[in-house]
Amino acid sequence: MSDRVGFIGLGIMGAGMTRNLLRANVDLTVYNRTPARMQPLADAGAATAASPAALAANVDVVFLCVSDTPDVEQVLLGDDGVLEGARSGTLVVDMSTISPRATRELAQRLHEAGVAMLDAPVSGGSEGAAKGTLSIMVGGEAADLERARPYLEAMGSTITHVGPISAGQSCKLVNQILVVVNMLAAAEALVFAEAAGLDLERTLEAVVGGAAGSWMLANRGPQVIERDWRPGFTIDLQQKDLRLVLETADENAAPVLATSTVFQLYRTLQREGLGAEGNHALVKALERLSGITVEQS
Ligand code: NAP
């Protein structure tokens, strides 16, 4: 691992990912918009940069994990952005979840400056970021992935090259459709179980290991019946990703019936001020419609 590596965005995800790069003895420089968030990384041995441009000028590979599409555009193309500091031969690896179409446009802008790009969004949450067990879905050229692979392996346990540039983002949106529709199924099933007078714990126990089982049912079902709304992934962030699903589905003329329904149900919860709760609080929208409250007695 001879590259000098930069990482931009030390939020919930980036903080854990950069720790794992340091554990793998990567020569690491970090940048965060709010400077205080760089201090723990500096204490752990990372160099710090004053801007994305300054970071890019000093490294060979730039990773970033920031919030949304406009944020990635700003970090890469804005004033003091990566493009101002990057050289021909720099590789940019975007690990944020953003629009596939915008990803293709960004890659084209970088390509014109001799800068290569991979999209490499992740799933696995803050826990996966901290433990280095993320699933990473990569779009772009195979040779660029081989260059980034040692660093991706420090951050994740499953690295899948899914196709050309933006295929990683499209695959991440596939992941998000599966997450929310599985959660809708779990929520509807639990409302039905409550209405039928079933013992909810025993019902979960009976079905979770069979054909109807899912990660969401196994992990979030128990949280729902305990009425524990602490987030693994918040409703607000989930909605950002569902908005990307709906936009991309529209661009590709793909029907997304169940995802559209979940998007509208989450919207009702956001209007009630519940956007910071976990995405399993989806059940509350069905509870409002039915007048049934799901709770282990
Ligand atoms: P977060 O904790 O809110 O952190 C966001 C990071 O982006 C912060 O470092 C923030 O800097 C930086 N940022 C945002 N806008 C910026 C801008 N315009 N310019 C420069 N820096 C900017 O978010 P997160 O949970 O780490 O999520 C990051 C990405 O990973 C998102 O795309 C998210 O969808 C994706 N993701 C998250 C999870 C999860 O469970 N959290 C799971 C999978 C994927 P400041 O410190 O200055 O605010």
Side-chain angles (χ1 to χ4, degrees):
M1 288 195 275
S2 53
D3 285 312
R4 291 167 303 166
V5 170
F7 199 107
I8 298 171
L10 306 174
I12 291 174
M13 299 300 284
M17 292 152 94
T18 45
R19 290 266 168 195
N20 287 318
L21 289 171
L22 285 177
R23 275 186 203 116
N25 292 318
V26 170
D27 178 351
L28 184 68
T29 303
V30 296
Y31 166 79
N32 196 68
R33 178 180 60 182
T34 305
R37 277 180 143 170
M38 291 191 275
Q39 195 54 50
L41 269 294
D43 293 343
T48 60
S51 68
L55 177 140
N58 281 307
V59 302
D60 308 300
V61 184
V62 178
F63 290 88
L64 66 151
C65 189
V66 296
S67 306
D68 203 350
T69 308
D71 306 308
V72 173
E73 288 170 345
Q74 191 183 347
V75 164
L76 294 181
L77 308 181
D79 287 346
D80 271 336
V82 166
L83 196 54
E84 284 186 14
R87 298 167 308 281
S88 181
T90 302
L91 173 63
V92 168
V93 184
D94 178 25
M95 304 188 78
S96 327
T97 302
I98 68 161
S99 151
R101 182 175 44 75
T103 296
R104 292 189 292 277
E105 289 164 7
L106 284 164
Q108 181 57 32
R109 287 285 298 277
L110 295 181
H111 177 72
E112 285 160 14
V115 175
M117 180 171 170
L118 293 170
D119 54 306
V122 304
S123 82
S126 56
E127 202 185 26
K131 289 186 178 161
T133 55
L134 293 169
S135 290
I136 308 178
M137 300 154 241
V138 185
E141 296 290 333
D144 294 328
L145 170 55
E146 288 321 304
R147 192 170 162 200
R149 189 181 289 280
Y151 314 110
L152 295 176
E153 282 177 346
M155 296 184 270
S157 49
T158 308
I159 295 145
T160 311
H161 187 198
V162 287
I165 190 73
S166 84
Q169 295 294 355
S170 297
C171 186
K172 169 73 186 187
L173 298 182
V174 168
N175 184 82
Q176 297 307 68
I177 293 172
L178 290 165
V179 163
V180 298
V181 178
N182 270 299
M183 192 58 235
L184 180 63
E188 184 167 298
L190 286 169
V191 168
F192 177 94
E194 179 75 48
L198 288 171
D199 180 284
L200 299 176
E201 253 173 38
R202 272 198 240 169
T203 303
L204 277 180
E205 212 179 293
V207 299
V208 80
S214 69
W215 188 97
M216 288 304 274
L217 187 69
N219 290 276
R220 301 298 176 228
Q223 259 190 284
V224 168
I225 67 177
E226 295 299 325
R227 305 199 72 73
D228 169 4
W229 310 117
R230 283 175 298 173
F233 196 64
T234 65
I235 288 173
D236 283 342
L237 262 187
Q238 188 70 79
Q239 283 292 76
K240 176 200 68 123
D241 291 357
L242 295 191
R243 194 169 295 112
L244 293 171
V245 171
L246 298 184
E247 282 168 15
T248 307
D250 191 33
E251 286 162 20
N252 297 335
V256 281
L257 283 77
T259 310
S260 308
T261 300
V262 176
F263 180 80
Q264 303 302 341
L265 291 172
Y266 277 135
R267 174 156 284 166
T268 67
L269 298 179
Q270 285 180 306
R271 288 200 63 93
E272 283 188 53
L274 303 181
E277 293 196 349
N279 56 359
H280 53 294
L282 179 62
V283 73
K284 290 186 181 179
L286 302 188
E287 290 178 340
R288 305 287 195 273
L289 288 171
S290 63
I292 296 165
T293 302
V294 176
E295 188 157 22
Q296 179 61 28
S297 49

